[in-house]
Amino acid sequence: MPIPEDVTGDEIDKDVRQELQSLPKTLADDVARNLVMVARLIDEDPEGAYAYSKVALRLASRVAAVREAAGFAAYASQKYGEALAEFRAARRMTGNIDLWPVMADCERGLGRPEKALDMAGAPEVHKLDKAGQVEMRLVAAGARRDMGQLDAAIVTLQSPELASNSLQPWTARLRYAYGDALLAAGRESEAREWFAKAVEADKDGSTDASDRLAELDGVEFVDALDEQADDEEGSEDNPGEDGGDGFSSEPATAEAKEAHDATEVDDATEVDDATEAEEAGDGTKRAEGEAGDRG
């Protein structure tokens, strides 16, 4: 896999760099550069990130940071079975419990929400920090919804963290999940309230709460540039029946049309009268001429 020249490998976290010190320097640099590419692409190009993670995994499969990166790349690409295997391997190597919520979410992705709920009730959850516990609550609520238990999902999300006015990294996502669960249960007015609260907390646009809120309010966004282009195109296609000056020769209303038709009739009558008079005059002149000739 080609790697841009500006990627040196020094961009990775110092803890990961320390893990790579067990490798020969040239190899460590190659692995580091591939891990940088994984981090760069994982949000916008998950498949690209996955490809780079496979290279790093082939080079250094015994490094826990590499297994973890490979797990997240597979997770982002919805390869949940592969992701779960990598997360388990990383956990065995380090004993770290931080990956417990994402491992449970992999179980959901594999169609095993009951297993995810079992993990949500396991002793390991108590060892998680506050952010990890919130993530576990989100996964558990998602598992309840997978099982059609909407009311239980709503109750699962009700927590001190949800009620708190303090803005934390997880606040927007927690409020959004609560609003979404309320909406799924048909509680639209409450859902709107929580989507609005999610918008307040979502400073970096990590959710589409603003779009959901607008949808509930019946707001439809129109691209002004596209609308202007459509208007201009319509003007070119239908410039007017007169040939392009913007004015039509036809009357705009039925009353005007009748007046227009009457005017045309009067004009025609005048033309006919004038023609008859002219023809009568010509006949008189011819008669006088003939009389003169006979005399």
Side-chain angles (χ1 to χ4, degrees), residues 49-118:
Y50 176 75
Y52 281 105
S53 75
K54 297 298 285 186
V55 175
L57 195 59
R58 187 173 66 249
L59 295 174
S61 61
R62 295 186 179 183
V63 176
V66 172
R67 303 302 290 265
E68 184 173 328
F72 278 110
Y75 178 79
S77 301
Q78 300 184 3
K79 299 175 175 62
Y80 299 115
E82 191 171 335
L84 184 58
E86 297 300 340
F87 289 142
R88 284 173 174 168
R91 181 167 176 258
R92 283 195 302 270
M93 292 177 179
T94 63
N96 195 332
I97 201 63
D98 292 349
L99 295 172
W100 195 255
V102 71
M103 290 169 63
D105 207 36
C106 286
E107 295 287 0
R108 283 188 61 211
L110 292 169
R112 301 193 292 249
E114 298 88 351
K115 178 63 176 176
L117 286 176
D118 289 343

Side-chain angles (χ1 to χ4, degrees), residues 10-157:
D10 294 332
E11 301 90 341
I12 63 173
D13 185 84
K14 64 179 182 179
D15 291 336
V16 176
R17 169 63 70 177
Q18 187 172 358
E19 281 193 58
L20 295 178
Q21 288 181 353
S22 61
L23 304 173
K25 186 177 186 314
T26 301
L27 181 58
D29 290 342
D30 288 343
V31 173
R33 295 179 71 209
N34 278 280
L35 292 180
V36 171
M37 293 305 298
V38 172
R40 275 192 182 186
L41 298 176
I42 196 165
D43 291 329
E44 297 183 359
D45 182 11
E47 289 297 334
Y50 176 75
Y52 281 105
S53 75
K54 297 298 285 186
V55 175
L57 195 59
R58 187 173 66 249
L59 295 174
S61 61
R62 295 186 179 183
V63 176
V66 172
R67 303 302 290 265
E68 184 173 328
F72 278 110
Y75 178 79
S77 301
Q78 300 184 3
K79 299 175 175 62
Y80 299 115
E82 191 171 335
L84 184 58
E86 297 300 340
F87 289 142
R88 284 173 174 168
R91 181 167 176 258
R92 283 195 302 270
M93 292 177 179
T94 63
N96 195 332
I97 201 63
D98 292 349
L99 295 172
W100 195 255
V102 71
M103 290 169 63
D105 207 36
C106 286
E107 295 287 0
R108 283 188 61 211
L110 292 169
R112 301 193 292 249
E114 298 88 351
K115 178 63 176 176
L117 286 176
D118 289 343
M119 294 180 69
E124 285 83 352
V125 175
H126 300 294
K127 300 176 184 178
L128 295 170
D129 60 13
K130 180 62 68 177
Q133 290 178 3
V134 171
E135 288 297 327
M136 194 69 249
R137 189 177 293 276
L138 288 168
V139 173
R144 291 291 186 189
R145 292 188 60 175
D146 293 343
M147 299 167 67
Q149 301 173 3
L150 293 178
D151 290 340
I154 291 171
V155 172
T156 299
L157 292 169

